[in-house]
């Protein structure tokens, strides 16, 4: 993925791309933010234990199948080698998304729907980390694996 290829595909000059975006990373971040809001929104309106489970399953599918999921993986990889990319990635995408995920989880904890064995951030890391690792290594995460993570780490309450 290069700015030249983006410009060619868009049918514009490379200078046009640089007029709107200072770097390839900023293009990818804008794309990721817009596409993930559509393809993988974080449940905000009265989330339940089941919507959290569905979000985790959706995250696994997003990384495996969605072009924006591939952008997310590419940015994770790029951030490992470039501190400026890591900073922008955290500032523009990872930080705000984590705030949304933390709010989702806090709501279901406060409602008594789950009783995580870890604090919210550690629980999110333990839930999302294996899914991300599998995607980065080219392996899909089946729903039953997501369900096991969910059941083990969040300990949903039965009513």
């Amino acid at each position: 993925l290069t700015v030249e290829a983006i410009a060619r595909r868009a049918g514009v000059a490379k200078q046009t791309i640089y007029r709107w975006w200072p770097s390839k990373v900023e293009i990818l971040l804008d794309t990721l933010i817009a596409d993930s809001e559509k393809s993988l929104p974080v449940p905000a309106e009265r989330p339940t234990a089941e919507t959290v489970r569905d979000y985790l399953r959706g995250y696994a599918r997003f990384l495996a199948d969605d072009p924006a999921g591939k952008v997310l993986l590419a940015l994770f990889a790029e951030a490992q080698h470039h501190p400026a990319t890591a900073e922008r990635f955290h500032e523009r995408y990872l930080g705000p998304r984590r705030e949304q995920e933390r709010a989702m989880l806090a709501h279901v904890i406060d409602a008594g729907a789950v009783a995580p064995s870890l604090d919210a951030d550690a629980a999110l890391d333990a839930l999302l980390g294996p899914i991300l690792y599998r995607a980065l290594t080219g392996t899909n995460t089946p729903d039953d694996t997501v369900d096991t993570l969910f059941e083990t780490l969040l300990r949903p309450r039965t009513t």
Side-chain angles (χ1 to χ4, degrees):
L1 179 66
T2 64
V3 172
E4 292 82 6
I6 294 168
R8 187 172 42 257
R9 180 148 183 181
V12 299
K14 188 168 76 170
Q15 294 79 9
T16 302
I17 301 296
Y18 279 119
R19 189 174 306 128
W20 292 97
W21 292 279
S23 70
K24 174 178 67 175
V25 167
E26 294 299 327
I27 297 168
L28 293 175
L29 283 168
D30 281 353
T31 301
L32 176 61
I33 290 165
D35 290 352
S36 64
E37 286 173 0
K38 293 178 206 152
S39 300
L40 186 66
V42 178
E45 190 72 28
R46 294 191 181 134
T48 64
E50 277 311 303
T51 59
V52 173
R53 181 192 308 262
D54 290 343
Y55 174 75
L56 295 169
R57 287 176 172 177
Y59 182 71
R61 284 188 298 277
F62 178 76
L63 293 176
D65 302 327
D66 195 295
K70 301 303 182 201
V71 170
L72 178 58
L73 295 175
L75 284 166
F76 270 114
E78 185 79 10
Q80 300 312 299
H81 303 287
H82 300 98
T85 297
E87 184 178 336
R88 291 296 291 158
F89 188 31
H90 182 77
E91 179 183 300
R92 294 203 52 217
Y93 184 79
L94 295 175
R97 187 134 188 122
R98 176 51 67 100
E99 288 298 321
Q100 294 172 344
E101 292 166 341
R102 191 181 298 116
M104 170 189 69
L105 190 54
H107 186 277
V108 296
I109 292 168
D110 292 346
V114 297
S117 51
L118 301 167
D119 68 66
D121 280 310
L124 287 167
D125 290 344
L127 290 162
L128 299 172
I131 298 168
L132 177 61
Y133 173 80
R134 290 177 67 100
L136 285 168
T137 59
T139 306
N140 293 342
T141 305
D143 284 350
D144 63 336
T145 300
V146 172
D147 292 347
T148 298
L149 290 166
F150 175 82
E151 297 288 335
T152 303
L153 293 166
L154 294 184
R155 301 183 317 210
R157 306 280 174 132
T158 55
T159 54

